[in-house]
Amino acid sequence: MADPFKLLVLPGDGIGPEVVSVALRVFERMCQLEQIETEIQHDLLHGAAWDRYGTFCRDETVVTAKQSNALLVGAVGGAKWDQLLIQSEDPAERDGLMRLREELQAYACLRPSRAYESLLARTPFKPDVVAGADILVLRELCGGLPYGKPRGIDELEDGSFQAYDANFYSSEEIRRFAVVGFEIARRRRGKVTSIDKSNVMESGILWRRIVGEVGTDYPDIELEHLYTDNALYQMMQRPTAFDVVIADNIFGDIASDLVATYAGSLGMLPSASLQGLDSGKPAIYEPVHGTAPDIAGQGIANPIGAILSVAMLFEYSMQRKDLARRIESAVVKCLQAGVVSADLGGQASTDQIGEKILSVLD
Ligand code: NAD
Ligand code: MN
């Protein structure tokens, strides 16, 4: 008999615990229906961990994470902890989630977004412009600006300050990441758009060169390079012209929030952060959104991004695409039935959406 599937649940802060509890119910129900044996552990991360343990991510949490098959994370952060001045040049010490991403080397972050027929009118687009949009932003997650060193805020002799960050990338980091982009494009519609600012950044020049080199191994995939500013403009003008968009850590972060507009709300977007495709290594599944302090504690957060992250877990950590499609179609049925949360103009609570999706799964 196969080993039980080991899941580590880290609800995090703000609306994190609200959406994760619903997504976890979907995970458990599916495993029960499919007789998949699981071993589930729970832990605290970031703000919740700081308040209990005085650290954003305990060493024990990292050990457990490395022994797990997958992590289900809510979101982390909030004004209370964002303002803490941690004296460290190391971003991983200032952010529990960034530490886990780095420790697990979960460098390829898949962030799909699409237009839903029943939500077209909820998007900022004319329905015919966005209908059919189906994009995957692949964000590099272990390098670039968020981790780059040197970084700092220095006081100058005259009492003024200067601040700096480094968008550091090695050719190997770019290469391993680009490979995932081309491999995913093969499973989708065969197109890669790489975005960079090679017109003004050294890291962009290397980025474009290495992505181009990797592209020669994939003659079946159409490769397009765009400057990031123009790319974001095109993504709003012609949402259906894109398939896989590959971007560094910062541009990928920005692009993925932007394409959430196709789905009508940031609360709809899931993610999977992998150490390469099909590596079998521990992967992180989490909604793209943050902790939404403006609506936290009200039970009205949209849990669909978290639920679709569970679908991605079945697809990428269990190789069960069939179960991923079942969850996705349950989500579509829920939307079609008009059971939607406030961010989409509806009145359904987080739990009511969860109940609806569970009842469709049954
Ligand atoms: P946010 O994503 O939390 O919220 C942006 C907007 O989208 C808000 O209006 C919010 O109400 C709405 N929203 C987000 N998720 C929603 C959901 N599931 N349902 C309904 N509405 C939703 O971004 P922010 O306000 O810029 O950041 C808040 C905090 O979250 C900050 O501390 C930030 O650092 C943190 N953050 C964490 C992550 C992460 O853990 N991966 C990602 C982004 C931001
Ligand atoms: Mn973001």
Side-chain angles (χ1 to χ4, degrees), residues 15 75-78 82 97 266-267 286 289-295 301-302 343:
I15 61 168
V76 304
D82 294 353
L97 187 52
L266 185 51
E286 53 168 325
H289 63 75
T291 56
D294 51 338
I295 58 163
N302 187 344
D343 51 319

Side-chain angles (χ1 to χ4, degrees), residues 161-316:
F161 293 87
Q162 71 173 9
Y164 47 95
D165 301 276
N167 198 40
F168 189 95
Y169 272 108
S170 70
S171 50
E172 200 35 51
E173 282 175 299
I174 300 169
R175 192 180 309 279
R176 66 178 186 175
F177 171 74
V179 164
V180 176
F182 287 99
E183 291 292 333
I184 294 197
R186 260 189 189 156
R187 299 180 187 184
R188 290 175 51 99
R189 301 191 305 281
K191 182 176 175 189
V192 168
T193 303
S194 175
I195 70 176
D196 65 56
K197 285 291 285 177
S198 54
N199 47 344
V200 293
M201 291 165 71
E202 301 303 319
S203 53
I205 294 172
L206 186 65
W207 182 273
R208 190 172 286 220
R209 185 195 305 159
I210 302 295
V211 170
E213 280 175 24
V214 174
T216 60
D217 293 337
Y218 295 85
D220 51 321
I221 304 297
E222 181 193 344
L223 170 62
E224 145 185 82
H225 297 279
L226 292 180
Y227 295 129
T228 304
D229 42 354
N230 176 37
L232 298 184
Y233 172 67
Q234 299 290 339
M235 282 154 73
M236 294 295 100
Q237 287 285 52
R238 304 180 299 136
T240 57
F242 296 89
D243 179 14
V244 177
V245 172
I246 68 175
D248 75 7
N249 206 336
I250 276 293
F251 294 146
D253 188 12
I254 295 168
S256 54
D257 272 36
L258 190 84
V259 300
T261 53
Y262 302 173
S265 168
L266 185 51
M268 297 291 291
L269 260 56
S271 78
S273 304
L274 315 174
Q275 191 184 133
L277 269 185
D278 308 324
S279 69
K281 302 271 174 54
I284 305 175
Y285 298 90
E286 53 168 325
V288 167
H289 63 75
T291 56
D294 51 338
I295 58 163
Q298 300 176 37
I300 59 167
N302 187 344
I304 291 179
I307 290 169
L308 292 175
S309 301
V310 165
M312 295 188 84
L313 184 160
F314 283 112
E315 178 159 3
Y316 293 101

